Amino acid sequence: MSEKTHTWASITTAGAHAIIEATVAEARKRDFPVSIAVVDRGGWLVEFHRMDGAVAGGVNGAIEKAISAAKFEEPLTKFSKMAAEEQDYIGNMPGLIPLGGSEPLKVNGQSVGAVSVSGAFESLEQELAEVAVAAFKEL
């Protein structure tokens, strides 16, 4: 490998589609329509799905939270807890959205993207994001 460049793995559109299908199926079981965004490791949108009946506000929420999780390479619940417990200023960090419902996607410890769910209450968004990660790990 050149000392001038890096080669990075990134989620494929097929992988993103499989994640969204699994998350939509689980959201339907819970009878709660949501928006789901999958981004690559740089935070660029790979695939997006807004379920019928999902609130319009969840669209930007899902995309922006996914970008945040990709860039920080951490579950956003980590920052949500920090903001709630002792570091309320954490929400002022540019590009960081300290809300649950968004998880990084990793292969062998390396970030390849992120997934986010929005349009429900935070705990359900988080549960659905974890379903998405589990689906990704099964690919």
Side-chain angles (χ1 to χ4, degrees), residues 66-121:
I67 292 168
S68 185
K71 290 184 176 182
F72 285 92
E73 298 182 9
E74 295 284 348
L76 295 186
T77 54
K78 172 182 177 178
F79 301 106
S80 177
K81 290 175 185 171
M82 290 169 67
E85 292 172 2
E86 77 270 354
Q87 298 177 0
D88 57 349
Y89 59 86
I90 201 91
N92 293 326
M93 184 179 290
L96 176 62
I97 300 174
L99 297 172
S102 193
E103 292 281 325
L105 300 168
K106 296 187 178 190
V107 174
N108 298 325
Q110 296 293 317
S111 178
V112 297
V115 60
S116 182
V117 178
S118 190
F121 45 94

Side-chain angles (χ1 to χ4, degrees), residues 15-37:
H17 189 73
I19 288 170
I20 286 179
E21 284 183 333
T23 309
V24 166
E26 185 64 25
R28 282 189 180 130
K29 286 180 192 175
R30 296 169 186 235
D31 198 28
F32 213 112
V34 293
S35 292
I36 306 147

Side-chain angles (χ1 to χ4, degrees), residues 6 15 26 41 47 50 63 66 70 96 98 103-104 108 111 113 116-117 119 122 126-128 130 136:
H6 289 284
E26 185 64 25
R41 71 178 318 276
E47 188 157 337
R50 178 181 174 202
I63 295 168
L96 176 62
E103 292 281 325
N108 298 325
S111 178
S116 182
V117 178
E122 189 174 4
Q126 183 60 36
E127 289 172 19
L128 292 172
E130 290 171 7
F136 179 68

